[in-house]
Amino acid sequence: MGRRNLFVWFVIMLAMLAGGIISGCAKKAEPPPSDQLRTLSFTIDCENYNKAVAEAVAQQLRELGVDVQVRVWGDWAVLKEALLNKEREMLVNDWGNSTLDPYDLLNPKFETGGRGNYAHYSNPRVDDLLKRGATGTDEAERERIYKEVQEILYDDAPWVFGYAMQEIEASRKTVQNWVPATDSRINLHRVSLTEGDTLVVGIRATIESLDPANHRNRIAETVIRNMFDGLVTRTPDGKVVPEIAESWEAISPTLWEFKIRKGITFHNGEPLTADDVKFTFDRIITEGGLGNGKSSPRKAGLLDPVTEVEKVDDYTVRFHLSAPWPIILQMLVHQQIVPKDYVERVGSEEFAKKPIGAGPFKFVEGKLDERVVMERYDGYYGGSPDIPGAGPARIKRAIFEVIPETSTRVAALQSGQAHIIQSVPPELVPELDKDPNCEVKTVEGTRVYFLEMNVTRPPFDDVRVRQAMNYAIDWDLIIEKVLGGYATRLNGPLLPHGFARHTGLSPYPFDPDRARQLLREAGYRTE
Amino acid sequence: MLMRVRTVARNLCGLLYLICRHPSALIGLVILVAYVVMALFAPVLAPYPPNTGSVRQSFLPPAWQEGGSPAHLLGTDHVGRDILSRIIYGARVSLWVGVLSVAISMVVGLVLGAISGYYRGIIDDVLSRFAELLMAFPFLLFAIGVMAILGPGFFNLIAALTFKSWVEFFRLVRGETISEKTKEYVEAARAQGQSNFRIVTGEILPNIIHSVVVLATLRVGYMIITEASLSFLGIGVQPGVPAWGSMVDDGRDYVRTAWWVSTMPGLALLLLVLAINLFGEGLRDILDPRLKVD
Amino acid sequence: MRGLRVLERILSTIPIVFGVAVIVFCVMRFTPGDPIDVMMGREGHVSQEQIDALRREFGLDKPIHVQLYMFLSRAVRGDLGNSLTKHRPVSALIRERLPATVELALGALVFSLVLAIPIGVISAVRQYSFVDRASMAAAFFGISMPAFWLGIISIIVFSVRLGILPSYGRLPYGLEPARVTGLYVLDSVLTGNVSSLVAALRHLLLPSVTLGAPMAAIVARVMRSSMLEVLRQDYVMLARAKGLTEWAVITRHALVNALIPTVTVVGVQTGVLLGGNMIVETIFSWPGIGRLAVDAIFNRDYPLVQGVVMVYALTFVLANLAVDILYTYINPKINL
């Protein structure tokens, strides 16, 4: 009986295979007649802050005859679980990319099993390219690699590529020489005032800590950065320039040497040497480095490949890496140097209460959820010579005031109680524009917004449907009507001003006819 | 059985007659009926389906304002949907939520209240303490918490609303049962050897049902407002389902530039709750004159 | 004897408060979604070891009954734990936000009583007059009005259109009076700071009216009906017959007695007032515990939710207790 049974099975398999091939060919040859077309129907997930965009997108898709529901999730943790289970279809999402390097955007979002890959995209070629991009050392080669990735992603379209929001900040007209930074930090070193010598910055949330090694938060970094300097820093438009380090050299892809500037002193007058630099990084990369068994939260994702920091002489250090790490310089911007002797003497907790750094301002007093006051440090070495205006700070006193309520922050600026404020919502911009004493300033932000499509299940396992989605949405209209115009259309996943962005690709045009055609080819009814 | 039906029908006709003679109850009833018709025939009455529109057509003002168009009588919202149509469809959500959640609360409250009031003893103690405990939570906070656990959605909403509101009915029914229990007609029924179940359903219930109906009517309005409040906070039904509360919330960011987006659905809500309260209080005057507020 | 009854009533609130604590604790633990996930934000960058460390730090790795025991034994000592999202003691957060909520609630209470009691009295004295009908119609609107809509409409009218009242916050930045009680209106009076007082009152006006409107409506209606009742009583007739002026009859004889039902209603409505403050605080960006509660629930901030709900429940229980006790003194016949 065995053999006959096997034969029957074989015939059935063969028939199915033939049927599959024939129907596959038929599909390619001509779209099925319209009475066999199905209605495309799916759900768009989002969190509350992306709801307006999700609804606008849904609206435009409905005009094509797609049956779209919007689901707002109250709680990211629950949504994330569903996403990881590959249960969802389309997600309105965003991702920060303050290093401006594709490394911490493309790798987590498109590598097979990447920690933010909610499209569940998996492409061996892309995986290979991304691995080479992450460890490559030749800039031009990396650029070429990432451009190829962008071309593949453009055609494969696992996302509906969206837009980058601009950072909207505002200042009094009396504030001189201040522009918002693309990574949204506010550095007051070179800022001056036409009236008075105390400058107040209204920041949007509580400061997590004043210890550079013990936070995971951009606002804390903004405040800390005014009291501490790093080996390198970033210009407002995102270029890495020397700061405490005078120069550097990659001896090999896994060994970097930094020369430290001489004559730098901490606020307590002690000189800054290679010992302090080594201590700073040891504190972060060593388990339990903060004392009392606590480890620094600034290692994972920020310093992973660093295995050892070696002191060569008093003004030279070497970074040993476990693997080539081309974006080491962009990453070092986010670590600031602390004084070894002082920290060892008082301990991490006391240090966070009375921080001492080598930055342009020294700490006076502060409560993390109210305000931090700092004063000019007259012994400052002057900061990075590559940014115009090196020298001591212009203003005498700087105050960072925590004002979480948006409208209160705007009112503080208008009444002159604050000189610079973070995060102005687009709908309040017209009000500030009317105010003769205030100025709204915008800069390209470092966060991209997009729709992620789950490529592992219908309908988005079909590349034609994914491309159709890209053609079907009129982003310019959404940017104008829903986002107040403060966003920039993207041609792919990367930021417009980021490294290795492909300039040869133009964003998917809004082309409803093309979208309809693709949907019909994929077997869906359109209007 | 037929006799029963006939009696009930006669009573209802009588009630209708009384309502017609009570002007504010009549006004309430008329508006209420209008809303019910609107909800039932929404697809026929609404000029557009609730979720169509184009972002290009967003923020059109109401027809009587400059720039408004007669195609969109009450204007359009931030993604270009017709506000009038969404209000008409929204009546379905509000009425369903109100009626369903009150009906469930009423049944639960009635059963538990009757048991508690009639048998007293340990059951009564436990239920009463539990009710007291629930009373200590502010209603909205409680509902928000339940919604946070269950997530948004229609039936979750009903659950969140009924979790606490049965207590009101429980307390009323329990109190009334306790006071009715000592009356002569109950004693008489007991003397005739009727079962406890018969006594409660056949004797006590018909005598307290009036006040329960009145409470139920008034609670519907309150439930509708609470549902709208939850939707307003973004945790009611899903977007796409046109709920008045979330429509008001949608318009909140645009009050400076497009006042009608928030105002119109709120007005619809106000009118409905007003009608329910008018009707409910009228009903109370008629059915339960001892509670009459003169 | 009465003292004993009062004491008994006070003691009876303890199991309720205890029960509330247990319920809140359990309910929060059934919630899907891991608070640690919420804390770490969406982009992660964190290792499993760090997550485990956080779990240990907040005691989330222990079995539920141990967590409950820990929570209760600390709560008794006034320690409500640390907020998961704000990294500060819950009791400190509540203490910081409570004055704003108290000020708003008092504002609403004062508004509704000042408006409603005279209206109720006048409506009763001049029954079926135009004033009576108009104010009862208004009161009817008051109880049917959704608070969130009233708030938005008043922002549109008074802040956006007319531009005469502020629409958010408690005070313009920098005008805070020296802190005595944390209630800005009271503090500016105590410190003689006139500009702060004016600003604080202006900020308080719209939120108070929005929050107090339903209460005002209910109090006016109750006041009117109990006044009508009292005016029919023999002793009022007698007072009139003695030749007292109508004013004296109303204020000295009728009003005091008519206030008794109002007291009950005010007590019950305090709970409703608290329930509404989340909405009103959201609309007017009022930095009180209502918004703290809503944020905490959405963020799965267990300790903060527990703390805030405890405050709500405690206030509610205390308000009812106060009414009951007040009652025994006003009307000694009442059995608690």
Side-chain angles (χ1 to χ4, degrees), chain A residues 418-462:
Chain A
H419 300 91
I420 297 175
I421 56 167
Q422 280 189 317
S423 305
V424 179
E427 62 269 17
L428 287 179
V429 169
E431 194 149 314
L432 283 178
D433 277 339
K434 271 188 275 171
D435 193 320
N437 298 316
C438 301
E439 219 165 348
V440 176
K441 292 184 175 174
T442 59
V443 65
E444 291 292 345
T446 52
R447 197 158 266 278
V448 292
Y449 291 75
F450 44 84
L451 313 178
E452 263 171 302
M453 292 172 279
N454 181 354
V455 302
T456 62
R457 55 175 280 170
F460 298 120
D461 54 348
D462 185 334

Side-chain angles (χ1 to χ4, degrees), chain A residues 4 50 109 144 157 266-267 297 332 383 434:
Chain A
R4 224 178 92 194
N50 277 331
K109 296 302 283 183
R144 202 198 56 71
F266 287 106
H267 301 152
L332 287 181
K434 271 188 275 171

Side-chain angles (χ1 to χ4, degrees), chain C residues 21-22 24-30 34-36 54-77 79-81 84 300-303 306:
Chain C
V22 174
V24 173
F25 180 88
C26 295
V27 163
M28 284 316 285
R29 289 305 183 278
F30 290 129
D34 189 327
I36 298 295
L54 276 167
R55 236 169 237 293
R56 269 195 302 282
E57 190 180 330
F58 288 101
L60 293 170
D61 57 336
K62 303 215 170 58
I64 280 211
H65 62 274
V66 179
Q67 288 185 43
L68 176 64
Y69 173 74
M70 276 162 56
F71 167 65
L72 289 177
S73 58
R74 281 191 197 144
V76 171
R77 280 177 269 137
D79 173 10
L80 293 167
L84 298 178
R300 299 273 179 279
D301 194 337
Y302 293 166
Q306 284 157 1

Side-chain angles (χ1 to χ4, degrees), chain A residues 284-302:
Chain A
I284 297 166
I285 61 177
T286 320
E287 195 72 17
L290 297 184
N292 290 336
K294 279 194 85 170
S295 303
S296 167
R298 295 193 70 74
K299 180 174 187 229
L302 293 176

Side-chain angles (χ1 to χ4, degrees), chain A residues 62-79:
Chain A
R62 285 184 194 121
E63 282 176 56
L64 288 179
V66 181
D67 169 32
V68 194
Q69 302 297 317
V70 175
R71 173 153 183 201
V72 180
W73 296 68
D75 175 341
W76 170 248
V78 181
L79 173 54

Side-chain angles (χ1 to χ4, degrees), chain C:
Chain C
M1 202 47 206
R2 184 197 286 163
L4 206 65
R5 278 200 317 240
V6 170
L7 188 71
E8 202 184 306
R9 180 69 182 79
I10 293 174
L11 287 177
S12 73
T13 58
I14 292 174
I16 292 189
V17 173
F18 182 79
V20 166
V22 174
I23 288 189
V24 173
F25 180 88
C26 295
V27 163
M28 284 316 285
R29 289 305 183 278
F30 290 129
T31 323
D34 189 327
I36 298 295
D37 264 2
V38 176
M39 268 174 81
M40 296 320 294
R42 44 180 39 233
E43 267 148 57
H45 284 302
V46 271
S47 62
Q48 191 58 43
E49 294 84 68
Q50 275 170 307
I51 291 177
D52 291 343
L54 276 167
R55 236 169 237 293
R56 269 195 302 282
E57 190 180 330
F58 288 101
L60 293 170
D61 57 336
K62 303 215 170 58
I64 280 211
H65 62 274
V66 179
Q67 288 185 43
L68 176 64
Y69 173 74
M70 276 162 56
F71 167 65
L72 289 177
S73 58
R74 281 191 197 144
V76 171
R77 280 177 269 137
D79 173 10
L80 293 167
N82 278 316
S83 156
L84 298 178
T85 48
K86 295 182 193 288
H87 308 284
R88 294 184 49 210
V90 169
S91 49
L93 286 167
I94 291 176
R95 220 177 302 126
E96 200 174 279
R97 297 284 198 113
L98 200 56
T101 295
V102 170
E103 184 165 42
L104 178 55
L106 287 178
L109 199 65
V110 168
F111 160 76
S112 53
L113 295 185
V114 165
L115 186 75
I117 291 182
I119 283 186
V121 171
I122 293 168
S123 292
V125 174
R126 305 250 175 282
Q127 198 184 2
Y128 302 131
S129 68
F130 172 75
V131 180
D132 177 31
R133 286 179 189 279
S135 44
M136 283 309 108
F140 213 89
F141 268 87
I143 45 174
S144 308
M145 186 85 75
F148 62 91
W149 190 66
L150 180 61
I152 283 182
I153 294 301
S154 50
I155 288 178
I156 292 179
V157 173
F158 293 101
S159 302
V160 180
R161 284 291 152 106
L162 300 176
I164 48 174
L165 285 173
S167 63
Y168 52 77
R170 296 178 70 193
L171 267 187
Y173 182 69
L175 268 182
E176 292 88 349
R179 189 184 168 110
V180 185
T181 57
L183 308 179
Y184 287 162
V185 172
L186 195 59
D187 284 359
S188 22
V189 172
L190 291 177
T191 55
N193 188 339
V194 178
S195 56
S196 287
L197 179 64
V198 173
L201 284 174
R202 276 163 46 85
H203 278 78
L204 192 57
L205 194 58
L206 288 185
S208 302
V209 170
T210 308
L211 186 59
M215 182 156 168
I218 292 170
V219 171
R221 285 158 57 104
V222 170
M223 193 66 214
R224 176 176 178 272
S225 65
S226 55
M227 195 73 187
L228 281 174
E229 189 112 328
V230 170
L231 286 176
R232 283 195 214 107
Q233 300 291 322
D234 292 344
Y235 61 88
V236 175
M237 304 285 184
L238 193 69
R240 276 208 189 103
K242 278 200 298 192
L244 286 176
T245 58
E246 191 65 19
W247 173 252
V249 172
I250 291 165
T251 49
R252 250 180 265 156
H253 294 270
L255 188 59
V256 181
N257 288 299
L259 272 174
I260 296 176
T262 312
V263 172
T264 328
V265 169
V266 169
V268 172
Q269 286 298 309
T270 310
V272 181
L273 205 71
L274 282 174
N277 79 2
M278 275 153 262
I279 297 278
V280 176
E281 288 183 5
T282 304
I283 295 172
F284 291 98
S285 305
W286 194 263
I289 58 170
R291 283 192 334 133
L292 196 64
V294 175
D295 289 348
I297 289 177
F298 285 140
N299 291 333
R300 299 273 179 279
D301 194 337
Y302 293 166
L304 194 51
V305 173
Q306 284 157 1
V308 176
V309 173
M310 292 297 294
V311 172
Y312 271 111
L314 210 61
T315 322
F316 190 81
V317 169
L318 287 180
N320 279 340
L321 184 68
V323 169
D324 285 356
I325 292 175
L326 204 61
Y327 236 68
T328 51
Y329 288 90
I330 298 177
N331 189 349
K333 277 180 290 180
I334 299 281
N335 204 346
L336 280 171

Side-chain angles (χ1 to χ4, degrees), chain A residues 231-232 245-249 256-260 315-319 328-329 332:
Chain A
L231 283 178
V232 292
E246 197 169 44
S247 63
W248 55 80
E249 185 192 356
W256 287 65
E257 186 174 275
F258 290 83
K259 291 274 182 215
I260 292 158
Y315 291 96
T316 313
V317 289
R318 280 183 180 171
F319 281 72
I328 178 171
L329 293 174
L332 287 181

